[in-house]
Amino acid sequence: QVQLVESGGGLVQAGGSLRLSCAASGRTFSGYTMGWFRQAPGKEREFVAAIRWSGGSTYYGDSVKGRFTISRDNAKNTVYLQMNSLKPEDTAVYYCAANRHGLLIFTPSRYDYWGQGTQVTVSS
């Protein structure tokens, strides 16, 4: 069965950096799209970034463009989210997700598998 496990969250000051990891297992992910989403208390789940496993095409939400970078390591079956210039508004639980069909998509309902989430807190 497909499993996604996030790690790397924590507490940082505004302007700092974190790198989140998503360890994927249960099958090969060629042909999949991998995404990062986040959700703050009382708010809708928000698209952050996506990457096609094959070819590596990427897309970013407007609020993180120029600050966050999504990437993958095929040897480790791991997807990363490098977060720089963090702001208090970035505080949320961050989720890794996978879509079977390999298109760049931005809606949570289109993703088939989800990790448990990792907390990111940015202090002012």
Side-chain angles (χ1 to χ4, degrees):
Q1 185 72 3
V2 170
Q3 284 189 294
L4 306 174
V5 180
E6 303 97 331
S7 62
L11 174 64
V12 298
Q13 290 196 337
S17 297
L18 282 174
R19 186 173 69 170
L20 306 183
S21 298
C22 173
S25 63
R27 63 156 296 151
T28 58
F29 289 87
S30 59
Y32 274 56
T33 294
M34 308 297 295
W36 286 97
F37 294 81
R38 65 187 184 186
Q39 189 165 24
K43 296 189 176 181
E44 298 289 326
R45 190 162 294 189
E46 177 188 15
F47 172 76
V48 175
I51 186 169
R52 289 202 294 137
W53 197 276
S54 180
S57 299
T58 60
Y59 194 87
Y60 297 92
D62 289 341
S63 64
V64 306
K65 286 180 180 177
R67 299 189 297 123
F68 291 9
T69 303
I70 187 170
S71 62
R72 75 212 189 295
D73 185 331
N74 290 343
K76 296 181 179 180
N77 266 5
T78 299
V79 179
Y80 301 99
L81 184 69
Q82 178 67 46
M83 305 186 295
N84 298 326
S85 301
L86 283 162
K87 305 174 181 179
E89 304 93 275
D90 296 316
T91 295
V93 177
Y94 283 70
Y95 296 92
C96 179
N99 169 269
R100 295 170 292 174
H101 303 297
L103 302 177
L104 289 175
I105 52 178
F106 326 116
T107 304
S109 64
R110 299 289 303 278
Y111 285 77
D112 304 294
Y113 307 102
W114 292 84
Q116 81 288 345
T118 186
Q119 176 71 47
V120 172
T121 302
V122 184
S123 62
S124 59

